Amino acid sequence: MQKWVRKKISYICSMLNQEDLFKKIISHAKEYGFVFPSSEIYDGLSAVYDYGQLGSELKNNIKNYWWKAMVQYHTNIVGLDSAIFMHPTTWKASGHVDAFNDPMIDNKDSKKRYRADVLVEDYMAKIEAKIDKEVAKAEKRFGDSFDKEQFVSTNPRVTGYKEKISAIGARLYKSMEENDLADIKALIEELEIACPISGSRNWTDVRQFNLMFSTQMGSLSDDANTIYLRPETAQGIFVNYLNVQKTGRMKIPFGIAQIGKAFRNEIVARQFIFRMREFEQMEMQFFVRPGTEMEWYEYWKETRVNWHKSLGIPEENYRLHNHEKLAHYANAAADIEFKFPFGFKELEGIHSRTDFDLSAHEKYSGKKLRYFDPEINESYVPYVVETSIGVDRMFLSVLSYAYTEEKLDDGSERVVMNIPPVIAPVKVAVLPLLKKDGLPEKGREIFDALKVDYMCQYDEKDAIGRRYRRQDAIGTPYCVTIDHQTLEDNTVTIRERDTMKQDRVPVDQVASIIAERIRPQL
Ligand code: GAP
């Protein structure tokens, strides 16, 4: 666990309604140069975002923290950087051409398109909210003697709601599995679900919508030249698995890690950078001997949960959700979910993908993708355990946790981004107390020494209190202040962002003190 302690003087965040909180996070992200809408001068492009001066730093730090944990710290995992464009047959073999679909439905009055399953799930969430309301009411009524577990299992209204949710869910997922689009429409009609924009129930039929973006390669525009923007980075790893295994002389079990862009033409692209049309993934495929995959699946679930915990974000923000309903290629799957302002949602997936992908590529390419295992003297198609996390989603989880409004003892307020120091965009701000008496010169000298190892900012404008607030708002964990005493005894103060505590230390110890405090706890 990271040693830095998250101490809040007075916490008013919990008083904020979660929707307001989310809006504040989005506007803070824009105001301070973390995230901008893409091509904003043309009114933006739906579900596409640009990362600004601080956002690009935070994003790089997240990626480095992941790469370090996965590649640098494992002797049996190596990296890869495969192309976004791949041979079109790749996507036939992987199943994406035929099955990477979402069921969509249009409202004829508003002309708005929705994911049919999401409409039903939103309906189920509304019933869930009714249960929460009943629980809150009862909690108020019974006070300390309230037994929540007993209440939700016996209260007739709550049990009725629960039965309704499970009946709707069972029917929806059965219809999805059987590709019974007519029944999904029938369900929407029976539940009398209305379009949130027009309020009408004037729906089209449900149709499948492929999520891959396609384009033409070369000058001819016929089907033969259709290629896709990859919807996941994983396939670049699968098709290179033998190249890497042979040239890297890798022995099973081993992994290949990759960070790169992926593209999905999401029907419901909303919630800021949670669901985007262009996003980045950090994926690792771990190749194992068939029959050992469940052991490795458990290992990677635990290892990935520990990676998240190592950032120091409190555990209650995460939960593990084991999938009951599995994709056709998986024999086990789980999500690490994060408590976003709009509820617990998937942050990372860990999937035991069997030999589905490699076997399919063998079949479609006609090339053998086997591994000769000297320990058992046998050749086989390896099984794969995958870990897959979106960089942007991780970014949003960090922002969601970090954004804090505090009321201080002196009655003033501050917005502080409690970004884990190891991934903070700026690690140190160097601040001469005054813009005279030789303090700026000393400040520059310290800045020049620290910038070699850390992303630093130098700031001599405005009163020191305002400068501290500016650094709090962008999540800088340490401020080094140069004052007149510095010129006398070569000491400075280091101010810690979360506690606002200041320590006086010799200048020549600043770099090592900061190094110690931001060392990865992997
Ligand atoms: N190779 C497996 C795979 O792609 P996935 O569950 O579809 O699995 C993995 O995606 C992760 O990628 C998700 O947990 C999420 O963090 C991220 N992700 C998926 N779709 C996304 C989107 N439209 N926008 C942002 N991140 C996305």
Side-chain angles (χ1 to χ4, degrees):
M1 277 285 280
Q2 194 92 352
K3 281 199 193 77
W4 64 284
V5 186
R6 191 165 176 266
K7 217 171 179 188
K8 288 177 185 173
I9 294 153
S10 168
Y11 182 118
I12 59 170
C13 215
S14 57
M15 284 154 60
L16 289 171
N17 151 329
Q18 293 297 290
E19 209 171 292
D20 278 355
L21 170 65
F22 192 37
K23 281 189 194 143
K24 286 186 181 194
I25 292 167
I26 296 170
S27 83
H28 190 86
K30 185 171 172 211
E31 187 182 342
Y32 286 91
F34 284 92
V35 184
F36 306 123
S38 162
S39 35
E40 195 186 8
I41 58 168
Y42 295 104
D43 296 332
L45 184 65
S46 170
V48 186
Y49 290 89
D50 297 337
Y51 288 84
Q53 64 279 16
L54 292 176
S56 50
E57 291 295 335
L58 176 55
K59 213 171 165 209
N60 280 339
N61 293 346
I62 290 172
K63 290 192 269 186
N64 286 338
Y65 194 69
W66 183 86
W67 193 264
K68 200 170 241 178
M70 301 302 271
V71 180
Q72 193 172 320
Y73 282 27
H74 285 95
T75 50
N76 59 348
I77 300 181
V78 292
L80 181 77
D81 183 5
S82 70
I84 287 171
F85 291 142
M86 299 182 70
H87 193 285
T89 311
T90 308
W91 305 111
K92 191 79 193 146
S94 67
H96 284 83
V97 170
D98 297 319
F100 194 50
N101 300 322
D102 276 341
M104 60 159 201
I105 189 164
D106 291 12
N107 182 268
K108 291 182 193 162
D109 300 316
S110 67
K111 311 272 183 260
K112 269 279 186 195
R113 176 163 294 172
Y114 299 93
R115 255 178 68 176
D117 55 329
V118 171
L119 279 181
V120 178
E121 279 171 353
D122 284 351
Y123 182 90
M124 286 154 65
K126 278 187 192 147
I127 308 178
E128 192 90 50
K130 286 185 187 168
I131 298 179
D132 292 345
K133 243 185 181 165
E134 292 292 336
V135 171
K137 262 196 327 206
E139 211 162 12
K140 219 170 162 188
R141 196 170 349 123
F142 297 114
D144 285 346
S145 61
F146 180 62
D147 182 340
K148 185 175 167 187
E149 227 165 86
Q150 194 193 352
F151 179 78
V152 295
S153 57
T154 53
N155 179 277
R157 207 171 290 163
V158 171
T159 51
Y161 287 144
K162 285 198 337 194
E163 274 162 25
K164 194 165 176 194
I165 292 175
S166 77
I168 296 171
R171 178 157 161 205
L172 173 69
Y173 301 126
K174 181 168 176 283
S175 307
M176 298 262 292
E177 206 155 283
E178 292 170 358
N179 203 19
D180 187 349
L181 303 182
D183 191 57
I184 300 175
K185 183 176 181 191
L187 184 58
I188 289 172
E189 285 175 339
E190 280 166 38
L191 296 174
E192 301 188 342
I193 296 175
C195 165
I197 308 279
S198 67
S200 87
R201 298 187 194 118
N202 196 6
W203 297 110
T204 61
D205 286 341
V206 176
R207 280 166 290 157
Q208 289 291 12
F209 180 83
N210 192 285
L211 300 186
M212 282 198 295
F213 283 102
S214 63
T215 187
Q216 244 67 40
M217 188 167 244
S219 55
L220 291 176
S221 69
D222 61 23
D223 277 355
N225 292 300
T226 298
I227 55 164
Y228 301 97
L229 298 187
R230 66 180 177 198
E232 61 170 12
T233 60
Q235 297 304 325
I237 295 178
F238 287 124
V239 301
N240 276 296
Y241 129 83
L242 262 195
N243 284 338
V244 173
Q245 190 271 319
K246 291 211 161 111
T247 56
R249 296 185 297 124
M250 308 302 290
K251 298 229 170 339
I252 267 178
F254 73 92
I256 304 177
Q258 164 154 250
I259 300 177
K261 290 270 186 174
F263 305 82
R264 294 181 190 179
N265 197 2
E266 300 281 2
I267 305 170
V268 188
R270 59 180 183 192
Q271 290 161 327
F272 191 38
I273 53 172
F274 180 80
R275 196 176 301 287
M276 304 160 85
R277 295 203 165 102
E278 174 180 341
F279 58 102
E280 229 172 328
Q281 287 186 315
M282 304 189 280
E283 297 200 295
M284 194 276 303
Q285 315 297 130
F286 200 68
F287 300 89
V288 304
R289 187 185 292 164
T292 64
E293 71 275 13
M294 290 319 284
E295 253 167 70
W296 288 110
Y297 169 69
E298 293 301 331
Y299 168 85
W300 280 110
K301 265 201 317 195
E302 191 184 331
T303 305
R304 293 303 303 149
V305 167
N306 288 339
W307 181 82
H308 288 282
K309 285 189 198 163
S310 73
L311 281 171
I313 295 179
E315 275 182 47
E316 66 260 24
N317 290 287
Y318 300 93
R319 73 180 187 197
L320 203 63
H321 167 73
N322 291 312
H323 286 214
E324 275 159 35
K325 208 172 104 339
L326 296 170
H328 57 285
Y329 54 76
N331 60 3
D335 292 338
I336 298 172
E337 296 185 336
F338 185 81
K339 194 173 169 195
F340 290 98
F342 38 85
F344 271 102
K345 296 273 176 214
E346 175 186 344
L347 171 63
E348 167 158 8
I350 295 112
H351 314 122
S352 173
R353 291 180 76 130
T354 67
D355 60 350
F356 174 84
D357 300 88
L358 288 180
S359 295
H361 288 306
E362 259 202 348
K363 185 172 145 218
Y364 278 83
S365 67
K367 308 271 171 17
K368 287 259 172 280
L369 295 177
R370 279 150 200 262
Y371 171 81
F372 177 73
D373 191 329
E375 277 180 31
I376 53 171
N377 219 13
E378 238 180 65
S379 262
Y380 52 77
V381 177
Y383 270 41
V384 172
V385 176
E386 160 184 81
T387 73
S388 175
I389 176 167
V391 180
D392 314 83
R393 220 170 260 193
M394 176 76 195
F395 188 109
L396 182 59
S397 73
V398 171
L399 287 195
S400 304
Y401 162 72
Y403 182 90
T404 310
E405 295 179 354
E406 287 183 357
K407 204 172 183 96
L408 306 182
D409 284 345
D410 64 5
S412 64
E413 285 176 10
R414 70 166 182 164
V415 170
V416 55
M417 295 296 277
N418 294 127
I419 300 174
V422 69
I423 54 169
V426 177
K427 300 283 187 277
V428 189
V430 179
L431 314 172
L433 192 61
L434 298 174
K435 220 167 149 182
K436 59 182 185 184
D437 302 339
L439 301 185
E441 288 75 8
K442 187 68 185 170
R444 285 273 173 207
E445 195 186 305
I446 294 172
F447 174 83
D448 286 340
L450 290 174
K451 75 180 183 192
V452 179
D453 295 312
Y454 306 112
M455 185 55 70
C456 301
Q457 279 192 356
Y458 176 83
D459 189 3
E460 55 182 30
K461 206 167 159 276
D462 298 324
I464 192 74
R466 288 186 72 175
R467 281 182 271 162
Y468 285 149
R469 291 291 166 275
R470 278 205 288 271
Q471 296 301 328
D472 289 343
I474 64 170
T476 307
Y478 303 107
C479 289
V480 170
T481 309
I482 295 97
D483 55 17
H484 289 94
Q485 193 180 328
T486 310
L487 304 181
E488 286 163 20
D489 63 6
N490 215 27
T491 60
V492 288
T493 60
I494 299 184
R495 172 189 182 268
E496 207 266 337
R497 177 193 67 200
D498 301 347
T499 58
M500 296 187 291
K501 203 169 140 274
Q502 301 195 19
D503 293 325
R504 187 162 278 280
V505 300
V507 167
D508 58 8
Q509 287 180 20
V510 170
S512 60
I513 290 171
I514 290 172
E516 182 52 37
R517 292 187 189 177
I518 63 172
R519 185 192 299 281
Q521 302 290 311
L522 291 166

